[in-house]
Amino acid sequence: MKIDEVTKPHLNKDFSSEVRPNQLVERFEFEGQYIAIEFASHSGNLIGIKRLNDDAYIYRDREGFGCRVCWGGDPVRPLTRGGSGAWVLLVENPPVDSIMLGVDMVYEGFKRTDTGNADEITIFQRDGDLRLATTYRLLKRLPVISFDFEVSNVGDGDVNIHFLDFPWGRWSFTNERCHWQTDKGNFQTQSLACGGSAVFWRDSDGDWWVWDILPEPQKSMNCKLLMGGRLRAKGDSMRGGGFHVGLSEKQGHGSADIARKWSMLRQLKPLPGAHWARSANIYETFIGYRNIVGIEMEPKPVRAEPYPTTEVLIEDLPRISELGYDVLYMMPRQPYPGYTTLSLTDAAAQYGDGPGTERAFQRLVDAAHAMGMRVIVDVVLHGGMDQASLRNQMMVSEQEGPGVLGTNYDLAHREYLLKTVPEEHPYWQSNPEWFSLINENECQMGYTRCFDMRHPGFQDYFAKSLASMLESYDLDGFRFDAPWWTPFAYRWTEEAGYRASWSVGASVELINNLYLETRKVKPDALFFMESSDPFTCQTAQMQYPYDVHRIVFVKMHRNEMNAREMREGLAYLRQIRLPGMRTAYWMVDSHDSVWANKSYEKWLVPYLGLPKTKACAVLMATLGDAIMSYTGSSDGMEDLFRQLLTLRQSVPVLAEGECDEIAVTCSHDDVFPVWRTYGSDWALPVISFSTKPVRVELELPIEGTDHIQLKDLLSPERVHPIEGRKIVLNLEPFDYCLIVPESSARCF
């Protein structure tokens, strides 16, 4: 094959030879259906990604995109209490005797394959003992490029690798990100200066990853993959990746279209079952007490003790049911086991009054069922607490010092935990192989001993134990807490049979095995995942709304985002979820909503004030899907909660209908109209987040409204005239209404 050094040839699709390194060309190119990719001939690095419809480069860098591998060195155990951000400790503090290979890559050749669905190009490179095979797939049906890596050790000695780093500079990014985008979560979108958007995502395979998009001034996208383990000498290899870049012709919230098309092409969807949870009203609570802390420790933390015993909760069930809740969601007993796993078999020890109180916990479940409520429990995935993990947490607190939320939580409960927590966790005593081991005697630690969720023995025990608990207590489902809490917790022991980094991201496989077991005893059980990552949520029917609350609503609460931007953000997030996936919105608070991070401001009302908090509650209750509310968060708003929860159960368009955040044209940036439809019925919740009275004009996305009368389900005395498709409203600060056609209102 001959390649012209000047004209950057277009290779034919049936070309299957190899470009050899002795053919001195500056670059070579491959074309797919929508995208062309260019490589530097001397290094094999990717130096260009080009749209073929307009020949615009979305990425172009003379030095090129290359993979760097943290190579060599002994495993280290980071000092951390855990959390998805704990990956930083591994990347920023690599083993002292490790090096970064991949900077001086030499190109060795390529192979091209037509898979039917994609044009697949594998580029072979080498830097010292590292041989890297990067496979790029240009999809034929969508403008999407994906890439995977195979890292091989061609040296004479065994070696450990710890993570991969991919610095991508010189993208055609605009200068700013969408207000509702951060570097957290999957399906990150960035507008392009040449028009349209690039959307980045990863179909995860068990290793933690991070996107870091920097539009100004770097125009870069840095990516890290925590893929690590031991490679034997002379050819042992490790594969990983699943990274995708999709091109959309749209910008902002409209760019989600490429993610939606790709998910539908892949036929991705959540687990079947739990149809009853579609519009559930979930009451979240716990037995015991919790000291509420933030970044300040003075005055003393607030002691939250809603239900000291199971019997007290049983006595309060009539009130909870009367408010309109139909699901009781039990967190682990506080303060211990707290957000850890003490037992996967003893529900009373984990969620009730403690070991030996099984009958009391069964009475709670039976009493809830008698009132028409279902009961789900929280399953903490990442590990169990004992004195060793407590000592690790105390060292972290000493290192961090005061003014850190985790340190203050530790200090607020330390005395109790030191007296209560066992010296060694019972699972560590019976089955140490179920944990992420650095060596035979040393376990990875956060504030818990870290489970190895991929260990086959642990997976089998986990599935059978929880399925048995579900059956014996007649529970209705599980919420799975913190599937990615320990991204640093590699299992380095040799007997595992899989790479070290695979111990941290096995929740999909783990929970899928449990799902198969529970189908045998209760096919309609709810699986509720604490993640907003679509791929982690494949083994669930419902996801936790971190993407909504930790990104969109936190910015709104801080006055960094107006209602129009909120609408766009929520519309984008809805579109990138798995088709059919449901969300349980926080109606006001959850156990995670430490909004202001200050003592006494666990709750939203003291932070935002009652009027704005009520407006938030109305929005959450009318967005569709399920809602959840933390014990105590409705205080002072009982009448509003009762009204909203009753409407959610009795109005079909709210209980079963679809939601569109941007369908209604709105004349005011601080007003949030929600468009709900169910068959021919519709509803229009409208919420003002303005601090001043506003006059707003709304245009509905339907015809045939000339002769209808409207009714406000939240304030029946109010009259809202309609002219054609337009409604004009005069709203007070933080006002809200729920408008429906009067003919529909007569039906409920």
Side-chain angles (χ1 to χ4, degrees), residues 48 223 294 298 308 328 398 407 427 459 541 582:
C223 183
E298 295 295 339
L328 182 66
E398 183 177 346
T407 294
Y427 292 158
Q459 290 201 352
Q541 304 103 357
R582 297 297 171 180

Side-chain angles (χ1 to χ4, degrees), residues 38 81 92 99 125 156 197 212 241 318 444 508 523 632 641 655 676:
E38 297 178 356
R81 62 172 43 89
E92 294 185 355
I99 59 174
Q125 302 167 278
D156 294 329
S197 300
D212 187 10
Q444 295 277 18
V508 171
F641 271 54
R676 300 296 307 274

